[in-house]
Amino acid sequence: MLRILNLEAGYGLLHILKGISLHVLPGEAVAIIGANGAGKTTLLKTIAGILRPRSGTVVFNKQEIHRESPEKIVAGGCSLVPEGRHIFSTMTVKENLLLGAYHRRRKCTAADIAASMEEVYDLFGILRERANQLGGTLSGGQQQMLAIGRALMSKPKLLMMDEPSLGVAPLTVRDIYKTIARLKQNGLTILLVEQNAQMALAVADRGYVFETGQIVLEGTARELSDNPEVQRAYLGKDYQKINE
Amino acid sequence: MDYPQIVQYCFAGITVGSIYAIVGIGFNIIYNTTGIINFAQGEFLIVGAMTAISFSQFFPLPVAIGMAILITILLGGLVEITFIRQVRNASILRLIIITIGISILIREAMLHIWDEKVRFLPYFTGTDTSTVTVLGAHISPQVLWVLGVCAVIVLGLTLFFKYTLTGRAMRACADDRMAARLCGINDRWMVTLSFMLSAGIGAIAGCIISPIAQTQYDMGAPLAIKGFTAAILGGLGNSMAAVAAGLFLGLMEAFMVSQFDVAYKEAVSIVILLLILVFRPSGIFGRHEINVLRTM
């Protein structure tokens, strides 16, 4: 579904991604874990078209998308839930969701879009209750749900999520991850970026470990969670515990 | 002052005030999607009025005005596509200075196309001497046209931004540009659209005020300053507040004229503008976040 080859990207003089190659198969959930500043967010922004890569290719659904605009990429079925949620805080929950379906405005009827909205409401019941409330008045977790719901409104084939657990209460994080697991079961392909490696690896099939803009490790979620290096660095277990 | 006289001044005030409000809304529409203060906003009014005046010699008035609005809308789009869009990674300040340049350019172009003569559109209904009596005051029917059309513009824009997908998309761009792009909204097109919309309502305002205020190639800048004062007074970005501020400004001016010399009329808005900029840059109705403009 998604294949990235030798991707290099950065901001100005900052060279962040140094030759990233990875792939995501249809129906798969792939996690990218790594510390702050490893380039995880930069990768997702580059795939989504917000950032132009310096070199390398991004192939999505057999089409090269690394020169496309974000609008085209969303319309092609690749949707990003950005880090920090970025919901429209001055607009209502319903308006946020409607805008998520913006690229479908000519292809779909109002009934189709209302049906998608119902699906999102079924996933996140709280959004239905708060439909007419302004996005900015929601709690962190609810905003995250709204951000995911808004991305789902575009009917993506690949859903990319950037740190969905960031700034969300632990209990809500569990809810959100349950929903992510449900989306995966329904056949949605997922690319997930997380610092919360435990959560991410629990839902993912495979994972990549990023360090300073490079992939240092890859494998199935099982392999990664069993890897002592990953355990030490990202799962919060110290050497002692591993050695026991 | 007796009662009818007060009503008279009130009408004079809200008439110019509603024009200031429309200019102020024009500022806000562009400010909201781009963060730019478009100082060519006043020129849009004059271009609209001048074009309508020229067309009105060949076509019936409504057709002439319609065509003028259309041409001004195209001009607004053209300005954005040829100037604003081309400047990449520019600071807001640079873009604002570019709009000042554009306003000078349009003004000089108008001087060449229409010379410096004062012109005006015919009254929409009646003549310059016909009056309607409202609450004991005699007012021109054109005043009612101005008030009615301005009300329709404000109402139409409110509905547009609130209930249409395109209007919502424009608000989304104002709220969070990156998120809007991730929703598949073409933000550049939304910016172009905001210029076209501002130009369009500017042209309408220019046309309806032309019979009473008359039109000259260099009248855009003073109008822009009044509209800018209305926008700032209400709090940048808040169109409803701009309406209130515009009406307030118009009333202040009208009563200033009734009490003092006409010469002080122009000073009112400048004084208000300075006071607001010094003491309350976020505007009367504005909240704190608008202050970002100061740190820009």
Side-chain angles (χ1 to χ4, degrees):
Chain A
M1 171 142 307
L2 180 75
R3 180 171 293 278
I4 295 169
L5 261 180
N6 270 323
L7 195 68
E8 311 236 341
Y11 308 88
L13 290 173
L14 261 177
H15 197 64
I16 297 180
L17 297 182
K18 298 159 190 156
I20 296 287
S21 298
L22 57 79
H23 66 274
V24 181
L25 300 172
E28 213 179 18
V30 172
I32 295 174
I33 56 180
N36 248 337
K40 306 181 303 284
T41 298
T42 308
L43 173 71
L44 292 196
K45 278 190 174 170
T46 312
I47 301 173
I50 295 282
L51 202 66
R52 277 280 150 89
R54 302 207 169 143
S55 64
T57 51
V58 180
V59 179
F60 174 70
N61 253 349
K62 301 187 184 89
Q63 284 183 333
E64 290 199 351
I65 58 166
H66 53 274
R67 305 228 168 274
E68 295 284 5
S69 62
E71 302 94 80
K72 290 253 170 65
I73 294 172
V74 175
C78 176
S79 201
L80 170 64
V81 182
E83 182 182 19
R85 308 183 278 267
H86 284 273
I87 55 153
F88 303 120
S89 53
T90 57
M91 307 178 82
T92 66
V93 168
K94 198 177 157 195
E95 285 177 320
N96 268 275
L97 292 177
L98 281 174
L99 284 166
Y102 185 81
H103 81 83
R104 298 162 65 197
R105 66 196 181 282
R106 294 209 186 91
K107 293 166 254 175
C108 295
T109 62
D112 289 338
I113 286 166
S116 309
M117 199 177 301
E118 272 310 306
E119 282 170 32
V120 171
Y121 284 156
D122 287 340
L123 278 177
F124 302 109
I126 190 80
L127 296 184
R128 190 197 306 270
E129 287 169 37
R130 305 269 153 105
N132 293 316
Q133 215 167 304
L134 290 187
T137 64
L138 301 181
S139 74
Q142 291 162 357
Q143 290 191 5
Q144 189 63 55
M145 293 177 192
L146 179 56
I148 297 173
R150 187 179 62 189
L152 288 174
M153 288 295 289
S154 71
K155 285 255 175 212
K157 299 184 185 83
L158 170 69
L159 181 67
M160 303 190 287
M161 279 176 279
D162 197 346
E163 305 263 4
S165 70
L166 196 73
V168 176
L171 274 180
T172 320
V173 171
R174 263 208 344 234
D175 286 345
I176 288 174
Y177 268 88
K178 265 186 208 152
T179 314
I180 295 175
R182 211 168 124 192
L183 289 171
K184 179 181 176 277
Q185 268 179 1
N186 293 346
L188 186 64
T189 311
I190 291 168
L191 180 59
L192 180 66
V193 154
E194 263 294 2
Q195 282 193 54
N196 188 339
Q198 207 171 354
M199 277 290 185
L201 290 176
V203 75
D205 301 309
R206 286 190 306 118
Y208 295 88
V209 180
F210 271 41
E211 241 166 57
T212 57
Q214 283 164 319
I215 294 174
V216 291
L217 209 60
E218 60 174 288
T220 64
R222 179 90 248 158
E223 283 165 8
L224 288 182
S225 3
D226 289 345
N227 183 303
E229 273 303 304
V230 175
Q231 289 187 347
R232 185 187 58 76
Y234 305 109
L235 296 175
K237 297 178 183 162
D238 54 22
Y239 273 117
Q240 237 183 349
K241 212 166 169 188
I242 296 167
N243 292 339
E244 269 169 17
Chain B
M1 262 196 301
D2 55 356
Y3 179 69
Q5 220 174 345
I6 293 177
V7 176
Q8 198 89 46
Y9 279 118
C10 275
F11 267 107
I14 50 180
T15 306
V16 282
S18 51
I19 295 297
Y20 299 161
I22 297 298
V23 182
I25 292 176
F27 276 112
N28 281 337
I29 292 174
I30 291 178
Y31 173 78
N32 275 339
T33 46
T34 59
I36 304 174
I37 312 284
N38 169 33
F39 280 106
Q41 186 62 35
E43 269 62 38
F44 288 150
L45 272 81
I46 308 302
V47 169
M50 282 295 198
T51 322
I53 291 165
S54 294
F55 280 142
S56 68
Q57 284 157 13
F58 309 102
F59 303 101
L61 192 59
V63 179
I65 292 177
M67 284 163 66
I69 293 168
L70 214 65
I71 285 175
T72 317
I73 287 176
L74 291 179
L75 177 72
L78 199 71
V79 161
E80 198 281 322
I81 290 168
T82 48
F83 296 100
I84 307 293
R85 188 177 286 196
Q86 303 310 321
V87 197
R88 277 168 200 277
N89 304 321
S91 70
I92 298 286
L93 191 62
R94 227 170 98 198
L95 290 171
I96 292 177
I97 292 170
I98 289 174
T99 68
I100 297 177
I102 295 169
S103 81
I104 296 172
L105 189 71
I106 298 179
R107 201 178 314 149
E108 293 306 312
M110 284 196 291
L111 179 62
H112 284 285
I113 299 172
W114 286 290
D115 65 51
E116 73 282 8
K117 271 209 274 308
V118 175
R119 295 150 200 264
F120 42 85
L121 275 175
Y123 279 69
F124 291 8
T125 42
T127 62
D128 50 350
T129 50
S130 53
T131 58
V132 186
T133 310
V134 180
L135 302 169
H138 301 286
I139 56 166
S140 159
Q142 191 65 27
V143 165
L144 299 180
W145 271 104
V146 172
L147 297 181
V149 170
C150 287
V152 168
I153 291 177
V154 171
L155 189 72
L157 283 177
T158 309
L159 294 177
F160 170 74
F161 281 118
K162 212 161 180 175
Y163 295 111
T164 68
L165 189 62
T166 309
R168 283 170 169 156
M170 285 177 80
R171 273 164 63 212
C173 280
D175 189 315
D176 192 320
R177 191 83 166 252
M178 185 183 81
R181 298 178 73 193
L182 288 174
C183 282
I185 296 165
N186 185 337
D187 58 327
R188 286 192 184 167
W189 167 234
M190 289 300 147
V191 170
T192 312
L193 199 61
S194 71
F195 271 80
M196 292 167 78
L197 200 58
S198 285
I201 63 165
I204 300 175
C207 289
I208 52 173
I209 196 76
S210 174
I212 26 183
Q214 294 163 345
T215 310
Q216 200 179 3
Y217 80 101
D218 61 353
M219 275 173 55
L223 273 172
I225 289 176
K226 304 288 174 58
F228 181 58
T229 309
I232 291 276
L233 185 60
L236 264 180
N238 184 345
S239 286
M240 273 311 167
V243 172
L247 294 178
F248 169 75
L249 194 62
L251 285 171
M252 285 286 283
E253 275 191 11
F255 284 100
M256 204 67 175
V257 173
S258 75
Q259 298 302 322
F260 302 100
D261 199 90
V262 187
Y264 294 115
K265 185 183 141 209
E266 300 298 317
V268 176
S269 59
I270 304 290
V271 169
I272 292 179
L273 183 59
L274 288 176
L275 288 178
I276 284 287
L277 286 177
V278 171
F279 293 108
R280 208 174 149 73
S282 52
I284 292 179
F285 306 98
R287 264 162 286 134
H288 215 64
E289 61 254 45
I290 312 287
N291 276 343
V292 287
L293 201 75
R294 289 171 92 194
T295 54
M296 165 181 92

